[in-house]
Amino acid sequence: MANLWERMQRTFRDVFDDDALELRQNITAADVEQWDSLSHINLIVALEREFKVKFTTAEVMTLKNVGDLEVLLIRKRGSQG
């Protein structure tokens, strides 16, 4: 899943315009200064485009950190068959 993680990191860096941003499993919005409600929406849309998936509002609401997001992406991509 290294490729997935690299793509996630690239997407996060693009959305937050921060080439130094290093993702970790336990990162939350509180850990990234630019991560507000608008950038959260932009992040979700960017991830949907990058990975060609769609998230439901319920799925997004359950996410607690980047690790949860990674697990959701793995599940979503696996269900695409």
Side-chain angles (χ1 to χ4, degrees), residues 12-31:
F12 269 74
R13 286 177 174 179
D14 287 347
V15 168
F16 296 114
D17 195 27
D18 182 355
D19 290 337
L21 180 63
E22 292 292 329
L23 287 188
R24 295 182 320 277
Q25 297 285 324
N26 61 345
I27 283 182
T28 66
D31 299 315

Side-chain angles (χ1 to χ4, degrees), residues 44 48 54-62 72 76:
I44 295 301
E48 286 179 330
K54 285 289 183 194
F55 300 116
T56 66
T57 302
E59 288 169 334
V60 172
M61 297 297 291
T62 65
L72 178 58
K76 285 288 205 182

Side-chain angles (χ1 to χ4, degrees), residues 14-75:
D14 287 347
V15 168
F16 296 114
D17 195 27
D18 182 355
D19 290 337
L21 180 63
E22 292 292 329
L23 287 188
R24 295 182 320 277
Q25 297 285 324
N26 61 345
I27 283 182
T28 66
D31 299 315
V32 179
E33 186 177 337
Q34 308 92 320
W35 196 337
D36 57 20
S37 57
L38 179 58
S39 61
H40 185 75
I41 293 167
N42 290 336
L43 176 63
I44 295 301
V45 170
L47 289 166
E48 286 179 330
R49 286 183 182 148
E50 173 67 24
F51 292 100
K52 296 178 179 39
V53 297
K54 285 289 183 194
F55 300 116
T56 66
T57 302
E59 288 169 334
V60 172
M61 297 297 291
T62 65
L63 300 175
K64 304 225 182 330
N65 55 39
V66 171
D68 288 351
L69 179 57
E70 179 187 28
V71 169
L72 178 58
L73 277 169
I74 291 167
R75 188 167 41 94

